[in-house]
Amino acid sequence: MKLGHIVLALALLPISWTQDKMPIEEATLTYAPNVPPAVKRDHPARVQVKMTTIEKVGRLADGVEYTFWTFGGAVPGPMIRVREGDIVDFMLSNHPDSKVPHNIDLHAATGPGGGAAASLTAPGHTSKFSFKVINPGLYVYHCATAPVGMHVANGMYGLILVEPKFGLPPVDREFYIMQSEFYTVGRNGERGLQPLSMEKAIDERPDYVVFNGSVGALMGENAIEAKTGEKIRMFLGNGGPNLISSFHVIGEIFDDVYGEGGTMISQKNVQTTLIPAGGSAMVTFRTEVPGNYVLVDHSITRAFNKGAVGILKVDGEPDLEVYSGKISDTVYHPEGGTIQSMPLGKAPEKVALSPAKILEHGKEIYETSCQACHQAGGKGIPGVFPPLAKSDYLMADLNRSIRTVTNGLSGEIVVNGVKYNSVMPVLHLSDEDVAAVMSYVRQNFGNDAKEMVTVEQVVKAKSE
Amino acid sequence: MNYPMVFFICQVLTVATELMPVAEGVYVPFAKEMPEQKVESFQMQKHAVTNEDFLRFVQSAPKYRRSKVPNLMADQNYLRDWTDDLTPPDAKEHHPVTNVSWYVANAYCRHLGMELPTTAQWELAASAKDYEKQILDWYSAPGASDSLVMSTFANVFGIWDLHGLIWEWVLDFDSEAPVQAEAFCGASAGGTADVSNYTAFIRYGLRSSLKANYTVRNMGFRCAQNE
């Protein structure tokens, strides 16, 4: 053996030694909104990831069920966290009761199909394959079995984070949030087990746009929580199958955005960030002021009409310098503070409106001020915005209903047997407008009031 | 051939499921590059092979009993819900036999002097655009199939349960697999004859995930006879 060969052999030795001796560990998988703990290692390892594909019926919205195809029994599937340079040993099992084969395409893997062909798994079988995570970043994984659109539309996606060698900057809290949309044969809110509408999927007309797999998955008891003065990181994914998300947190500004899930801060001080279908983003921000912060897709009818809303509840002491809250509410005179006369010199006569006219006016107010949340026909969004149609809560107590409009409402209420825990803002309407809209709502949508609500009743209810 | 074997074959044949004629036709394969296939008229069993049928088979062919079959021919889940070699699940003698590998299904049909249907034959017999909703409903209903044979519907040929009961093995289940493997990524979906035919798409997906010794809880078979 020549000297050069020996040197070469010695040079190669440590590399093969490291690969042979790589420590083996099992990945900690977490379900949204939880995030696996940060990787503490300063060296690569072989990380075993075990996942099972399960087809199951679950809740899409209150009263609405859907046959989800899942990784690990949940939508989105479990989050995986590894370190740049790790080798992932992936075991994908397909439950024996499954009707169809499944596989996984991990965008974090480099190689044909991202593992898709290697992991195609018949029901009742397990496939093994491995890949080295060369590029750090936040990646989507999804099922890529034909027909791909159907497997993704049914819920088969999740996130895998590949931490850079030197880790991510420390934060106080991390959340895993994934947006996706569902295409059902029945329209939004239509009850029962809803089958997939491939036609709507192809036309990209979803009935539901949701965070973490169902309407209300981040609302009420499931709201994510933090304290003031904490640094928050959100791992955001978009499973699609088709829509791009304009992700926004109402009342917050992202201090740092790692655009498209890459490892560089691509922009600072961002209001709304795009998350591509089959892509991701990481955002960090500091919580300053307590309160409820609403997560939305700012393609806003998706949020208020199709379900893409969530709540980050921040507890702590108010900081009035950062945010004062409402200090006062005074009358606004466009013409200035002093009393002026109309150019014609004669004030218009007050005309008593007929009940029909008042109801017509009430309808206009409903459509401009109420319908965005309570929906056409007052049907609401199950679990998010309570219905006004045939509403026991609305009809039980007129004074309470009036105050809900004039003073706002927050906290848990039960409407037609369903719990709601959300916020209704104060609506700045005149007493006449409140009377008109209350009359309209109580005499329509299947509610059976016969009497008009008078201005006097509004004034009295407000003062109680 | 020895006498007992002949005897058993005769006995099985006398009780074998009725065969229904399927008129000749043309089958358009999933992959664009594969030519259309003319399918000669043939006969197909009226319903899938039941646990009762299969019991008679393993009685006469001991090497296909659960404890005897080598892993090469059937994986560990072979006849998983049978209590033992000769005891099908309780009160399910008229349910389709499932968790059967291609090797054993093929042997069963040959034992009766028949064959598994080819993909072209099966797809021709089962071609039924009007049934799409029932088909998709079954594909998307989770869980193990648990119904009698002849419990869904008979098609125009008088053949039952081609959709909505179980998956069924075909003779050449792997014939389009190489094309299918490419079709997993969006780019090559362009290679399919009809990307909107989701029901056919799903069956191709399933076939290409299988090996001949695999057994699947929701998968059985029936036999066909060429004329």
Side-chain angles (χ1 to χ4, degrees):
Chain A
M1 193 183 264
K2 287 181 184 169
L3 186 62
H5 286 157
I6 296 168
V7 171
L8 187 64
L10 286 173
L12 289 172
L13 205 58
I15 297 168
S16 57
W17 184 86
T18 342
Q19 288 195 342
D20 286 346
K21 300 281 178 174
M22 248 189 198
I24 297 173
E25 62 178 52
E26 190 163 337
T28 304
L29 303 180
T30 59
Y31 289 102
N34 299 317
V35 174
V39 178
K40 297 216 171 59
R41 287 181 275 110
D42 59 0
H43 55 273
R46 293 196 81 102
V47 182
Q48 298 181 327
V49 178
K50 295 174 186 167
M51 259 191 219
T52 304
T53 55
I54 298 168
E55 301 162 4
K56 61 185 259 194
V57 172
R59 176 191 166 282
L60 176 56
D62 281 342
V64 183
E65 292 193 307
Y66 189 84
T67 303
F68 296 99
W69 291 358
T70 72
F71 288 103
V75 181
M79 183 165 170
I80 310 165
R81 188 169 195 160
V82 293
R83 179 184 178 274
E84 178 183 356
D86 285 352
I87 292 176
V88 179
D89 292 313
F90 208 104
M91 286 176 67
L92 185 71
S93 300
N94 189 356
H95 194 277
D97 283 352
S98 290
K99 287 278 171 60
V100 296
H102 297 292
N103 68 2
I104 191 166
D105 167 356
L106 297 119
H107 291 179
T110 310
S119 62
L120 180 62
T121 308
H125 281 255
T126 299
S127 297
K128 285 187 199 174
F129 67 106
S130 73
F131 59 96
K132 183 169 183 172
V133 283
I134 301 167
N135 300 72
L138 180 62
Y139 297 93
V140 166
Y141 65 78
H142 63 91
C143 185
T145 303
V148 180
M150 191 168 184
H151 285 255
V152 175
N154 282 341
M156 301 194 79
Y157 35 75
L159 288 180
I160 172 169
L161 171 66
V162 182
E163 281 191 22
K165 277 185 180 141
F166 301 105
L168 293 169
V171 292
D172 298 303
R173 287 178 203 267
E174 294 180 321
F175 298 107
Y176 166 22
I177 295 162
M178 198 153 190
Q179 179 174 326
S180 58
E181 71 267 10
F182 288 88
Y183 303 86
T184 52
V185 170
R187 295 175 57 129
N188 182 301
E190 203 168 307
R191 297 174 83 83
L193 179 61
Q194 288 295 332
L196 164 69
S197 166
M198 239 7 259
E199 191 190 344
K200 286 182 183 173
I202 291 164
D203 293 347
E204 304 186 17
R205 282 187 291 116
D207 298 278
Y208 296 90
V209 181
V210 298
F211 295 129
N212 290 352
S214 64
V215 176
L218 292 174
M219 303 286 288
E221 289 171 358
N222 303 320
I224 50 177
E225 294 178 358
K227 294 191 168 60
T228 50
E230 287 186 327
K231 194 167 182 190
I232 310 292
R233 175 181 290 126
M234 289 182 171
F235 296 104
L236 305 167
N238 185 355
N242 297 314
L243 301 184
I244 291 168
S245 172
S246 300
F247 186 79
H248 177 80
V249 177
I250 299 174
E252 266 300 347
I253 296 159
F254 305 137
D255 297 330
D256 297 326
V257 170
Y258 295 71
E260 293 161 15
T263 46
M264 266 176 36
I265 295 172
S266 54
Q267 186 60 281
K268 288 177 168 289
N269 306 317
V270 172
Q271 57 195 308
T272 300
T273 192
L274 283 177
I275 316 171
S280 69
M282 281 187 278
V283 298
T284 58
F285 57 91
R286 188 170 286 281
T287 51
E288 273 96 10
V289 181
N292 283 346
Y293 294 82
V294 183
L295 286 50
V296 295
D297 179 342
H298 215 296
S299 291
I300 209 73
T301 56
R302 297 179 191 166
F304 294 109
N305 302 71
K306 295 182 176 177
V309 282
I311 299 274
L312 166 66
K313 189 165 177 280
V314 177
D315 282 331
E317 290 303 310
D319 182 338
L320 297 181
E321 181 181 300
V322 174
Y323 189 77
S324 70
K326 189 163 193 163
I327 295 169
S328 67
D329 181 344
T330 52
V331 173
Y332 166 57
H333 294 295
E335 68 278 21
T338 56
I339 298 167
Q340 299 179 353
S341 58
M342 299 293 285
L344 291 177
K346 191 180 174 192
E349 254 178 80
K350 276 217 166 185
V351 180
L353 292 172
S354 69
K357 281 277 179 204
I358 292 172
L359 287 173
E360 200 176 294
H361 181 53
K363 180 167 185 286
E364 283 166 16
I365 294 167
Y366 182 79
E367 284 165 0
T368 51
S369 300
C370 315
Q371 186 164 295
C373 296
H374 289 292
Q375 304 289 301
K379 68 183 191 312
I381 294 181
V384 185
F385 301 118
L388 300 179
K390 290 185 188 163
S391 167
D392 55 0
Y393 186 90
L394 170 74
M395 299 305 284
D397 183 342
L398 174 62
N399 287 348
R400 179 178 68 183
S401 293
I402 290 170
R403 281 197 300 274
T404 302
V405 175
T406 56
N407 302 0
L409 182 70
S410 66
E412 188 173 296
I413 60 170
V414 176
V415 182
N416 294 348
V418 179
K419 269 190 206 167
Y420 292 84
N421 195 346
S422 194
V423 177
M424 164 131 173
V426 175
L427 296 180
H428 294 288
L429 298 171
S430 70
D431 295 341
E432 286 79 8
D433 287 350
V434 173
V437 75
M438 287 305 298
S439 299
Y440 171 71
V441 166
R442 289 167 55 86
Q443 294 184 30
N444 285 283
F445 311 153
N447 298 319
D448 56 2
K450 300 280 184 290
E451 306 290 322
M452 300 294 286
V453 176
T454 65
V455 175
E456 291 70 32
Q457 281 173 305
V458 173
V459 172
K460 180 164 168 285
K462 272 166 71 176
S463 66
E464 273 174 9
Chain B
M1 192 182 280
N2 59 24
Y3 268 105
M5 191 51 120
V6 172
F7 168 76
F8 274 120
I9 290 173
C10 294
Q11 190 195 35
V12 171
L13 276 175
T14 54
V15 292
T17 308
E18 193 181 347
L19 287 163
M20 307 302 285
V22 177
E24 64 175 17
V26 174
Y27 165 59
V28 182
F30 164 74
K32 266 185 200 160
E33 57 262 46
M34 295 186 71
E36 287 187 358
Q37 294 176 35
K38 185 164 187 298
V39 182
E40 302 295 336
S41 59
F42 68 103
Q43 294 185 303
M44 193 182 230
Q45 286 190 313
K46 185 176 182 175
H47 61 73
V49 175
T50 63
N51 281 316
E52 187 180 53
D53 298 334
F54 204 78
L55 174 62
R56 278 194 294 273
F57 170 63
V58 290
Q59 279 169 340
S60 66
K63 67 176 172 176
Y64 295 113
R65 291 175 190 175
R66 194 171 69 181
S67 63
K68 302 285 195 321
V69 163
N71 260 349
L72 270 175
M73 294 188 75
D75 66 26
Q76 302 95 306
N77 287 337
Y78 178 61
L79 297 179
R80 187 188 168 91
D81 54 356
W82 285 39
T83 311
D84 58 38
D85 273 0
L86 296 173
T87 315
D90 241 12
K92 292 195 176 176
E93 56 273 19
H94 298 302
H95 281 55
V97 64
T98 59
N99 274 125
V100 180
S101 70
W102 178 91
Y103 285 118
V104 181
N106 189 44
Y108 176 102
C109 292
R110 293 198 163 180
H111 193 84
L112 299 183
M114 294 190 277
E115 294 270 13
L116 285 169
T118 63
T119 305
Q121 286 175 329
W122 197 96
E123 291 285 338
L124 179 69
S127 62
K129 286 212 158 160
D130 296 347
Y131 299 137
E132 194 165 56
K133 188 184 174 313
Q134 282 132 299
I135 297 168
L136 285 174
D137 281 355
W138 182 72
Y139 291 170
S140 60
S145 201
D146 188 22
S147 299
L148 299 167
V149 295
M150 298 178 71
S151 62
T152 63
F153 63 92
N155 70 3
V156 62
F157 303 116
I159 300 174
W160 283 81
D161 309 322
L162 285 166
H163 302 291
L165 186 67
I166 49 166
W167 300 110
E168 297 183 8
W169 282 107
V170 288
L171 189 65
D172 54 342
F173 71 94
D174 55 354
S175 61
E176 287 167 336
V179 179
Q180 178 62 16
E182 292 297 309
F184 285 114
C185 301
S188 48
T192 57
D194 179 2
V195 290
S196 69
N197 190 349
Y198 272 74
T199 59
F201 230 130
I202 293 170
R203 289 193 294 277
Y204 287 108
L206 182 77
R207 286 176 195 140
S208 59
S209 75
L210 299 169
K211 293 190 173 130
N213 70 327
Y214 281 16
T215 76
V216 173
R217 184 174 291 172
N218 284 317
M219 187 159 188
F221 68 102
R222 72 179 81 208
C223 307
Q225 189 151 50
N226 298 315
E227 287 180 336

